Amino acid sequence: DQQVKQNSPSLSVQEGRISILNCDYTNSMFDYFLWYKKYPAEGPTFLISISSIKDKNEDGRFTVFLNKSAKHLSLHIVPSQPGDSAVYFCAAYSWGKLQFGAGTQVVVTP
Amino acid sequence: GAVVSQHPSRVICKSGTSVKIECRSLDFQATTMFWYRQFPKQSLMLMATSNEGSKATYEQGVEKDKFLINHASLTLSTLTVTSAHPEDSSFYICSATRDQYNEQFFGPGTRLTVL
């Protein structure tokens, strides 16, 4: 049962524009959410996180928004850069374990 | 800081053989390590949680006799795929946590191909 869902398998965005990645979850026990970036044949690297007691966290070009009532979070990247092209995974924490979404492939075009 | 390494990065083996994958935390002590498996274009699936000095906790559906996990020290966990079959071919990734932090640091992964 997939408790963390990323319904958009891919996203294409022009360089300089905003990338918005979405993630939905079903388990209300999740208390911490993270976004990871992953290149092919490499492990994920941590991008940004947010606690369930917050609704926004910002770090440079990356901002994560959490809407607990809708069980929805999003990652905004602005401005998008060519180096941002990768797969982005949403993950949620519960009882010491991470559950990942299926990922969204982002392609930033010139 | 917080670097996790895996060895080997890729391995090709014959069906029926066993393969060992090492996961090391290079600059911190990791009381907990996790092993994940990722199929192409799919999510990372947690296989097991490994705590130093104790038996690993396996997720439902993961055969503990097939995927042997040993967390021998605070910086090393190993995953042994026993009697590997082609369906075990996958990308295996480990991660490690530092004390009192939620963040997991991931290794670069190991691509296993079973012929």
Side-chain angles (χ1 to χ4, degrees):
Chain A
D1 178 32
Q2 192 76 8
Q3 297 186 35
V4 179
K5 298 178 183 179
Q6 292 176 258
N7 293 318
S8 297
S10 64
L11 171 70
S12 182
V13 64
Q14 205 168 16
E15 182 178 0
R17 300 284 186 121
I18 184 171
S19 294
I20 300 178
L21 292 85
N22 294 303
C23 178
D24 297 292
Y25 61 96
T26 58
N27 189 343
S28 58
M29 297 302 292
F30 289 141
D31 57 4
Y32 196 71
F33 303 89
L34 308 93
W35 283 94
Y36 285 87
K37 178 179 180 179
K38 185 180 181 300
Y39 294 112
E42 292 185 12
T45 54
F46 170 74
L47 267 181
I48 192 169
S49 62
I50 188 166
S51 166
S52 60
I53 63 173
K54 294 187 175 182
D55 55 19
K56 178 182 176 181
N57 188 26
E58 192 172 354
D59 183 3
R61 296 187 298 115
F62 303 94
T63 303
V64 57
F65 296 91
L66 175 62
N67 183 334
K68 281 188 67 177
S69 60
K71 294 191 176 70
H72 177 84
L73 64 155
S74 61
L75 173 68
H76 292 208
I77 307 172
V78 57
S80 299
Q81 298 174 355
D84 296 332
S85 296
V87 177
Y88 290 78
F89 287 97
C90 167
Y93 234 113
S94 176
W95 295 101
K97 296 179 184 178
L98 273 178
Q99 291 201 34
F100 285 84
T104 297
Q105 171 80 59
V106 172
V107 176
V108 180
T109 58
Chain B
V3 178
V4 176
S5 71
Q6 275 184 248
H7 178 79
S9 59
R10 58 178 61 193
V11 57
I12 301 172
C13 69
K14 292 183 178 180
S15 186
T17 60
S18 293
V19 174
K20 180 185 283 189
I21 303 170
E22 291 186 350
C23 176
R24 294 181 185 271
S25 56
L26 297 184
D27 51 4
F28 67 100
Q29 292 185 329
T31 53
T32 303
M33 289 185 170
F34 302 84
W35 286 96
Y36 294 84
R37 183 175 180 176
Q38 185 190 22
F39 292 104
K41 297 186 179 181
Q42 293 190 27
S43 177
L44 281 76
M45 298 301 296
L46 179 64
M47 298 174 66
T49 303
S50 167
N51 291 292
E52 186 264 339
S54 63
K55 290 184 178 179
T57 303
Y58 290 82
E59 294 300 300
Q60 192 173 10
V62 178
E63 299 175 62
K64 60 181 179 182
D65 293 331
K66 178 157 188 68
F67 299 100
L68 300 178
I69 292 172
N70 184 11
H71 196 149
S73 74
L74 285 172
T75 59
L76 173 64
S77 176
T78 60
L79 167 69
T80 302
V81 183
T82 62
S83 187
H85 288 98
E87 57 265 30
D88 298 325
S89 299
S90 190
F91 194 57
Y92 292 88
I93 306 174
C94 73
S95 71
T97 57
R98 296 184 291 197
D99 285 342
Q100 78 203 36
Y101 289 102
N102 272 338
E103 186 179 348
Q104 291 184 24
F105 299 94
F106 286 83
T110 297
R111 169 71 61 193
L112 171 63
T113 302
V114 184
L115 302 176

